[in-house]
Amino acid sequence: MLDKSFEPAIAEKEITEKWESQNLFACHPNDDKKPAFSIVIPPPNVTGNLHLGHALDNAIQDVVCRFKRMQGYDVLWQPGTDHAGIATQMMVEKNLAKQGISRHDLGREKFVEAVWDWKKQYGGQIIKQLHRLGASCDWSRERFTLDEGLSKAVRKVFVQLYKEGLIYKDKRLVNWDPVLQTAVSDLEVIQKEVVGTMWYFKYPVEGNPNEFVTIATTRPETMFGDTAVAVSADDERYKHLIGKNLVLPIVNRTIPVVADEHADPTKGTGAVKITPAHDFNDFEVGKRHQLPMINILNKDATLNENVPSHYQGLTCPDARIKVLTEIKELGLFDHEEPNPMTIPHGERSGVVIEPLLTDQWFVNAKELAKDAIKAVENGDMVFVPKNWENTYFEWMNNIQPWCISRQLWWGHQVPVWYGPDKTIFCEESVEEALQAAEKHYGKSVELVRDSDVLDTWFSSGLWAFSTLGWPEDTIHLKRYYPTSVLVTGFDIIFFWVARMMMMSMHFMKEVPFRKVYLHGLVRDEKGQKMSKSKGNGIDPLEMCDKYGADALRFSLLIQAGHGRDVLMSDSRVESYRNFVTKIWNAARFCEMNGAIFGQDKPTPTLPINKWILSKMHTAAQNVARMIDEYAFNDASNAVYHFIWDTFCPLYLEAIKPIFHDGTTTEIEETKHVCGYVLEQILIVLHPFMPFITEEIWDKTAQRNNMLMCETWPSLTAYADKETETDIDYLFDLVTAIRSLRMGVNISPATKIHLNIKGMNTKNKQIVSDNEVVLKALTRIEQLNIVDEMELPKGSISQAYAESTLNIPLNGLIDIEQETARIRKDIANKESFIERTKNQLANDAFVSKAPASVIQDKRKALEEAQQTLENQQKVLANLIG
RNA sequence: GGGCGACUAGCUCAGCUGGUUAGAGCACCUCGUUUACACCGAGGGGGUCUGCGGUUCGAAUCCGUAGUCGCCUACCA
């Protein structure tokens, strides 16, 4: 029995326990009868808390997984978390800082232990939160990117790529985060727009103190690292200076003037100072001209020993002020102007990123990208929506070397050992490295391990196969790889999707997933990005507490259309909570009227019952198609409207009089049909709203199965189009009658007499077949269907298709108001008729438009003309 | 600088390969019989589809162009 109201908090807990204690989310790799379907979860950061983006992402995956299970697939939804190198290390360091301890106080080993302790105690909170949403992951298979198995995969991949020459060590400019004191990849750098200043300095020409070259710079303090000034070879202003030297002010070091394509005569002064160790373009210029590279910064971005002593130890902003002062004192300042520019900031630390010359490990992404590009070109992997593939190609075709080393402690340590002479031994374990070293040196030696760890995305890049057991040849790998679809946000196409494609193509020779579905961002109700600083964030768990997980999921899903962002607000969730209540009450109604559950599909004789079965199957088919197209908004909309606009107000209302006045046979049939249809509704709605549906399923009957294990309605067409059309007509008629009543303020309590004049045979038949229903829904006491009659004075009439509806009224009606209403209706009809007539009189239209279009127009015209005629009679009767 | 997307009722959005008297939800107005539901029911008002030009018998739908907004990406001496 269903209680008076649905309590999400209690039901969600109970149902989750039932699902999980029976292991219903588990995959069955040995079940040969079922086709496999698999999804790997985008692993959330182990430090993370569930936000609405996760809620959306996982609601979508859950819909797909539950749907596929119901369709008879063996589903693996592979869960897990990411160790999130920088984020996690920062968090633990912050905690330690509260006790006044730095990671250096602890030392590397102790620190890493501390992080593991933290992880064991507090990490993975987000996984618990996913359970609350109803996520049907195979929780027994949860993985972590630093698990032993996954670490093994990481080492194997690194070693192989190294041995293939696709991973290499290089000294080059990288994005350096001076606070975290590590290199970061291009993707971890955020460009921020600011209005800076362009300063113009004069560099004297060597041997001719009265001649100067004016250069423009936005970073005066980097002048200590200048090793040339570049000009364009054709620039008349500077041509004569090429090959000569300038004197770098303050330090009084001489630097050459070189001709280089990088110098653009139209920009700045046409002469550009070259600082190879602190600018990416200058680095290239430096290499072209074999210029010295002078690094002037320490790891914390203060100036180092390569600058004049009174600058050493200053921060860049301080040094800048000092340089400006000094240049002015030297009379070498030309002028300055405001300069809008973008400045790189660290994604995590938020501080200014410095290009810094360091030794780092790189992946030759250009090489790995080749197969990853091909796989999308030839359709082995498909983007949904398709237009994202442009973004993918654009980036992949211009891909830069991927800097994978991080100067952190938390993460996968690079499997590289150095011999006494710095020879590199890249092996999967220290034992193997020692062996290799012994072979190399002909004796045992001490090795020192590289201290760097890998970019977090290096291990996430292997996620699609490492979680399935690779490099072991596991049954899961065989059965579930390649995975069926990846569901994620477009913001990590480059970080993750692209890297998975590259790694998977290289190591598996096969795509990691057949499709990638990219959903939008969750925003607040005004369409603004949610952020802590704006304070407009909405906590999904709060929403669960307040409205239930089903309502939250549904409000996300119903907006998840291709290429659309999702807006979130209390009022939206509230309205879907109302939908939950609606379903609950509909179920209660069925139950109270003795609905029969757990039976096979009925074969009813009453039109209304045939009708709802047909509608139900059409809806189920549509929903299935839309899920397969990843149109979650359309799919949820279709369920929503079927329940709220068809099942409840039409069908349930229509069967009330049957339960009340029907014959025993009719009542039994209707109990069966309404029970059956409700069960089908529960099945179709289940992927979207797993809790309420499972709860109703559970509480209404003794069942063998939980709802989530039921089979999706058969997709073979079951449609009774004729009955659908008939009953649709009936309900249209109901609306027309209700509208007529309402128009003259007849109280709903008043039972009326209704005359219908001139109705055709077919429609008469429909009305008489469903007379009980029609009368109940429109509160008609007496119904007269006549071929011809005079409309009584003081009665109210309305043309309805070929017939005229008439309600005799004893009381007064407002003739004026009524006349106006009819006139307006007539005017509408006339305008339609005129337009349609013109169209049909147009030879070009008749000769070129498809026959079906013309036929439809003719039919509509005929009908409108007939109705118009009737309506004109009604008007004449009213005023005459 | 390059690219992508959006612009349809007060708000949020449907409207697929051109043919609908342009739809929905929320909001709004009116009225509330019926023990499923007031977290509800019935009825109703409201838009000519950002501007301009074009293609077409026919355009919200295709093309061009202008504008506004958003996102991605590059560069910035």
Side-chain angles (χ1 to χ4, degrees), chain A residues 24-91:
Chain A
L24 298 181
F25 300 157
C27 64
H28 300 95
N30 294 310
D31 187 345
D32 295 334
K33 278 176 243 116
K34 290 182 171 181
F37 183 90
S38 55
I39 294 183
V40 289
I41 203 170
N45 287 359
V46 68
T47 54
N49 263 301
L50 193 79
H51 58 63
L52 280 169
H54 297 120
L56 171 65
D57 193 56
N58 288 285
I60 290 172
Q61 292 173 74
D62 196 50
V63 167
V64 175
C65 287
R66 287 180 185 270
F67 169 66
K68 286 291 169 189
R69 273 190 211 105
M70 288 179 138
Q71 278 198 326
Y73 286 82
D74 165 35
V75 172
L76 166 62
W77 183 8
Q78 171 65 53
T81 49
D82 192 288
H83 70 277
I86 294 180
T88 310
Q89 175 161 332
M90 275 176 76
M91 158 159 291

Side-chain angles (χ1 to χ4, degrees), chain A residues 381-401:
Chain A
M381 203 288 271
V382 177
F383 279 92
V384 181
K386 195 154 179 20
N387 51 318
W388 284 111
E389 73 176 36
N390 290 331
T391 309
Y392 174 84
F393 286 138
E394 179 65 19
W395 193 69
M396 285 296 232
N397 285 323
N398 298 301
I399 199 160
Q400 300 299 309

